[in-house]
Amino acid sequence: MSKRLGNPRFWSVAASFGLGVVLLASCTSSRPPQQTSGGMSGPMDYNRPHRDGAPWWDVDVSRIPDAVPMPHNGPLKNNPYTVLGKTYYPLNDARTYAVTGTASWYGTKFHGQATANGEMYDLYGMTAAHKTLPLPSYVRVTNLDNGKSVIVRVNDRGPFYSDRVIDLSFAAAKKLGYAEVGTARVKVEGIDPVRWWAAQGRPVPMVLAQPKMAPVQPAPAAAQPQAVAMAQPIEVYTPPPAQHAEPPAPVQIDSKKNASLPADGLYLQVGAFANPDAAELLREKLSGLTGAQVFISSVVVNKQTLHRVRLGPIGTPDEANRMQDSIRVANLGQPKLVRPD
């Protein structure tokens, strides 16, 4: 998630967000869900975590409605900008946009921070970040693995550290069924709000509740002389280096540990993570779900270490199918049969 573009005080770490190859991180708490005074979801005493992850307050996402496409009468934010030496040229119109690729999500680390167009990010809102769609715009995102679909409001920029095509809010990822595993193969389609309302058989409403804007803080006096320079056609963003979306440096894999893993029979792979903590969290969740051994097998792919969460050995294909169904029903991923290595 990013802070307001064009002003360095409003640029936040979420401009490049995302979850690396896959990030899954969460905390647990006995505290009941609450609402902040500003209407944001979450506890009143919210403390921003150092690492991104899932919220520790629980909200039933099935009760969260999709974003409602509305025509935007004000100026769109679609000016060119540069991140990490690459210049992006946003589109003028999102209505005919269509692309297939990988989606991820971002959560607690950016909750309550300003997005690229100044709105406040709520991880339980139905929003998204995209590199080149105009802000704001609306898209339908469909999980190609399970057919689930949501409508989100694009109000942020990113992701910049990977080839993912879009990053969704935690709520949107949860509704699409991939929050627990981190990424999904999706189709992203632009929405024409006028046609969308016509398809509902209703006229476009005159007024709809406006999104909550992040508070604007004045720049320090020393930064005032830079105001003219920041108004140049191409803005330059500098995402902070310490974030989960940055490609992790390869680590030495414990070959003895991997060598001790089982090697016969059938295996299911439920996820592959750049973050070892995420892999361990999924392993713990799976351990209580099936009778098969759950283990983590690490491998280096394209100079990046992946921690693969696998189950096995499994005796028969029928047993493997039953385990796949159980894992899907528990919303813990889309397990696939793999060969031991």
Side-chain angles (χ1 to χ4, degrees):
M1 179 175 57
S2 62
K3 294 220 173 185
R4 181 163 298 179
L5 309 184
N7 187 327
R9 281 189 59 83
F10 300 130
W11 170 253
S12 94
V13 290
S16 50
F17 35 65
L19 303 166
V21 175
V22 179
L23 170 68
L24 177 66
S26 65
C27 305
T28 57
S29 172
S30 59
R31 292 184 296 182
Q34 297 175 312
Q35 293 290 325
T36 64
S37 59
M40 299 290 291
S41 67
M44 295 293 291
D45 57 344
Y46 179 76
N47 293 317
R48 195 169 317 286
H50 177 67
R51 299 170 67 176
D52 196 21
W56 53 90
W57 63 97
D58 189 26
V59 174
D60 183 359
V61 297
S62 67
R63 298 185 178 184
I64 299 176
D66 282 1
V68 178
M70 287 292 294
H72 184 72
N73 299 319
L76 292 171
K77 191 164 189 62
N78 61 349
N79 52 296
Y81 64 95
T82 298
V83 173
L84 304 173
K86 181 177 180 179
T87 300
Y88 297 87
Y89 296 90
L91 304 172
N92 293 322
D93 192 337
R95 293 175 294 179
T96 60
Y97 180 83
V99 70
T100 298
T102 301
S104 189
W105 59 268
Y106 58 118
T108 53
K109 185 175 180 180
F110 313 113
H111 185 67
Q113 296 294 294
T115 62
N117 70 344
E119 295 174 16
M120 186 177 290
Y121 175 65
D122 185 345
L123 58 83
Y124 276 116
M126 294 297 290
T127 59
H130 193 278
K131 299 183 188 75
T132 57
L133 287 176
L135 308 181
S137 55
Y138 296 87
V139 295
R140 179 181 298 278
V141 183
T142 303
N143 186 335
L144 297 177
D145 291 327
N146 59 22
K148 294 181 179 180
S149 180
V150 297
I151 295 176
V152 294
R153 175 182 171 91
V154 181
N155 65 355
D156 215 347
R157 288 292 181 224
F160 297 115
Y161 284 105
S162 74
D163 58 358
R164 297 189 309 278
V165 298
I166 196 168
D167 273 4
L168 304 184
S169 65
F170 171 79
K174 187 80 171 177
K175 291 181 74 172
L176 286 181
Y178 74 87
E180 288 78 8
V181 294
T183 62
R185 194 168 56 95
V186 300
K187 183 176 183 180
V188 183
E189 302 170 282
I191 293 177
D192 182 336
V194 175
R195 290 187 177 182
W196 186 86
W197 279 101
Q200 317 304 312
R202 299 170 58 188
V204 179
M206 295 298 294
V207 179
L208 194 68
Q210 296 299 307
K212 182 174 177 56
M213 304 302 290
V216 178
Q217 300 179 6
Q224 294 300 330
Q226 301 178 7
V228 176
M230 294 305 296
Q232 296 303 312
I234 297 181
E235 297 173 327
V236 177
Y237 306 160
T238 306
Q243 59 175 323
H244 57 257
E246 187 175 10
V251 299
Q252 185 67 36
I253 292 179
D254 187 346
S255 58
K256 293 183 179 180
K257 179 180 178 181
N258 278 354
S260 65
L261 298 176
D264 296 324
L266 301 172
Y267 291 85
L268 293 176
Q269 179 167 305
V270 187
F273 301 84
N275 184 347
D277 294 337
E280 181 61 30
L281 179 61
L282 180 58
R283 187 195 67 78
E284 292 177 358
K285 290 183 177 181
L286 291 170
S287 295
L289 185 65
T290 70
Q293 179 182 355
V294 185
F295 60 91
I296 297 173
S297 173
S298 300
V299 64
V300 174
V301 179
N302 295 329
K303 298 182 179 180
Q304 186 174 52
T305 302
L306 297 182
H307 305 280
R308 303 171 300 183
V309 182
R310 295 183 168 186
L311 293 83
I314 304 170
T316 65
D318 287 343
E319 185 179 358
N321 288 335
R322 287 194 297 271
M323 288 187 181
Q324 285 178 304
D325 291 339
S326 297
I327 294 170
R328 292 191 187 104
V329 169
N331 288 324
L332 291 178
Q334 298 293 326
K336 298 179 181 179
L337 280 172
V338 294
R339 295 179 179 178
D341 55 20

